[in-house]
């Protein structure tokens, strides 16, 4: 897979959780195979870090929603 696909041009902030997760899986697989150059490896690593952070944002947001929906002890 080429490190400079159209996916990498997409702003990470615009990705859904599933899109970010799927691209992160592809980035990790490509890093595991070994990129042809150090520059490409660094670009993949940087993209992977951004994708992982985006996934974490989505998961923390979901946790906040679940916590807000859960009744408190005072409401029980």
């Amino acid at each position: 897979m080429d490190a400079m696909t159209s996916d990498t041009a997409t702003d990470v902030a615009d990705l859904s959780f599933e899109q970010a997760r799927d691209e992160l899986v592809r980035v990790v697989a490509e890093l595991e195979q070994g990129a042809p150059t150090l520059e490409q490896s660094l670009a993949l690593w940087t993209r992977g870090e951004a994708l992982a952070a985006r996934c974490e944002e989505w998961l923390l947001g979901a946790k906040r929603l679940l916590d807000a929906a859960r009744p408190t002890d005072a409401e029980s």
Side-chain angles (χ1 to χ4, degrees), residues 1 16 19-21 23 32-33 43-45 47-48 57 64 72:
M1 174 179 278
S16 69
Q19 290 169 321
R21 180 202 58 212
E23 186 179 342
E32 287 175 341
Q33 292 175 3
L44 285 167
W45 180 269
R47 181 71 176 179
E57 287 174 16
R64 282 192 291 273
T72 63

Side-chain angles (χ1 to χ4, degrees), residues 1 3 7 12 21 30-31 37-38 45 50 60 65 67-68 76:
M1 174 179 278
D7 286 343
V12 171
R21 180 202 58 212
E30 192 167 344
L31 281 168
T37 67
L38 178 59
W45 180 269
L60 290 173
L65 287 173
D67 288 345
S76 306

Side-chain angles (χ1 to χ4, degrees), residues 2-63:
D2 187 343
M4 298 298 155
T5 63
S6 61
D7 286 343
T8 60
T10 304
D11 186 9
V12 171
D14 295 334
L15 297 176
S16 69
F17 172 78
E18 291 79 8
Q19 290 169 321
R21 180 202 58 212
D22 292 347
E23 186 179 342
L24 181 56
V25 168
R26 288 190 301 270
V27 166
V28 168
E30 192 167 344
L31 281 168
E32 287 175 341
Q33 292 175 3
T37 67
L38 178 59
E39 183 179 60
Q40 288 174 328
S41 292
L42 290 173
L44 285 167
W45 180 269
T46 301
R47 181 71 176 179
E49 287 288 324
L51 291 164
R54 182 64 176 148
C55 288
E56 187 172 6
E57 287 174 16
W58 274 106
L59 292 172
L60 290 173
K63 183 182 183 316

